[in-house]
Amino acid sequence: MLDWKRKDGSELNKHPSPTRHKMFEEYTSVIGEHQGRSRQLWRKVLYEDQGVPDNYVDSSFLREMQKNLFVRSYNYWSVVLSTGCITQQINTVIIFVMCFIYLQEKLLTSYLLNSISAVLLLLGYAFTVLTNCSACDIKALIIFCTAAFVLSPVLMSLTETISTDTIYAMTAIMLLAHLISYDYELHASTDGVISFNAGIFATVCLASRLPNLLLGYSLIILSAFVFGMLPNMRRELRSHFFPYLDIIMTVVHFVCALALVCSKSFTVAILLFCGFFFIMFICPHLLVRLQPLKNNLHGPWDEAVVVES
C-alpha cells in the first residue's frame, strides 16, 4: 500500500474534502453529458435543442454540396443559328432608319414607300390567313392606318420646338430601348408592348423632321409593319421552318441593310459588317469556351423554391 507524504515527510489526507469531491462529480457529469451529445447525430433543425449554437454545422453539412448543377453545354453552330433573331431585328431597325434618310434626302418618294408598305401589309395578312396565326389583325391595322392619317399633322407638330440634335438623340435612345426590350424567344412570352411603343415613339420623332405630312404618314405606316407585324411573322416562320428559312431571312436582312448603308457610307458599312461578324461568330465562340469555366455551387444554404405542379 502506498503512503502519501509531503516533501517535509508529513502524511497527506487520504480522504478528499467534501468540496473537492463535489467539484469532481460536477466535472465528470459535464464531461459525460458532452460526450453523450457528441455521440448524437446532428440534424439541420432549429426547433429542438441539440446543445450547440444555432449557427453550428458539422462535417455532414457539405456532403449535400453540388457543383454546376444546371450548367448547359452548347453546340457552337446551334448558337450561331440562334443569333439570327438578334441580327434580323438589328438589321430591321437599320433598314427603317435608312428609309428615313432616303425620304429626307428625297431619294425615295412617299408613293413608292406607300406602295411597298401596302404590298408588305397584304403579304402579312395573306400569311396570317394561310398559317392561322395572329401575326396581323386586319381590323386593328385599318384602325391604326386611319388614325395615323388623321393624326399625322398633330404627330408631326409635337416635336417642332425641339432641336434636331435632341430629336436624333431621343430616336437613338428609343431604338436602343426597342432592341433591348424586344422578345427574342422562339415562342414569345410577352406581347412586346414596350418594344413596339419605343419603336413608334422613335417614328414620331423622325417623322417630325420630314418635309411634308405625306412623307411622315408613309414613315408611320412603314413602322406599323416593321415594329408590329414583321416580328410576329418572323417568329411564326422560325417556329415552322427553323433553321432553313431562318438562315435565308438572316442573309436577306443583312444584305439589304448592308447595301443601303453602303450606298451612303462605305466606312460605316465595313464597321457594320465587323459588328455583325462579332455578334454571329465571336460571341458564340466565347460562350462555348467560357461555359465549362463556370463554378456554381448549390447546397443546403440555397433558398427553398416552390415548384408548382
Side-chain angles (χ1 to χ4, degrees), residues 134-151:
S134 57
C136 175
D137 187 351
I138 189 63
K139 182 179 178 180
L141 186 62
I142 293 175
I143 294 175
F144 180 84
C145 294
T146 305
F149 181 77
V150 174
L151 298 176

Side-chain angles (χ1 to χ4, degrees), residues 53-97:
D54 291 342
N55 60 349
Y56 171 81
V57 292
D58 68 353
S59 59
S60 64
F61 184 75
L62 294 179
R63 293 175 186 171
E64 301 179 25
M65 184 182 69
Q66 293 178 315
K67 221 181 204 185
N68 298 336
L69 187 59
F70 303 106
V71 174
R72 294 177 55 186
S73 58
Y74 294 96
N75 178 266
Y76 174 73
W77 289 110
S78 64
V79 178
V80 170
L81 290 176
S82 299
T83 60
C85 58
I86 301 175
T87 57
Q88 287 172 21
Q89 191 60 25
I90 297 176
N91 284 321
T92 301
V93 173
I94 293 174
I95 293 172
F96 176 77
V97 173

Side-chain angles (χ1 to χ4, degrees), residues 34 122 232 299:
H34 176 72
L122 290 176
N232 294 329

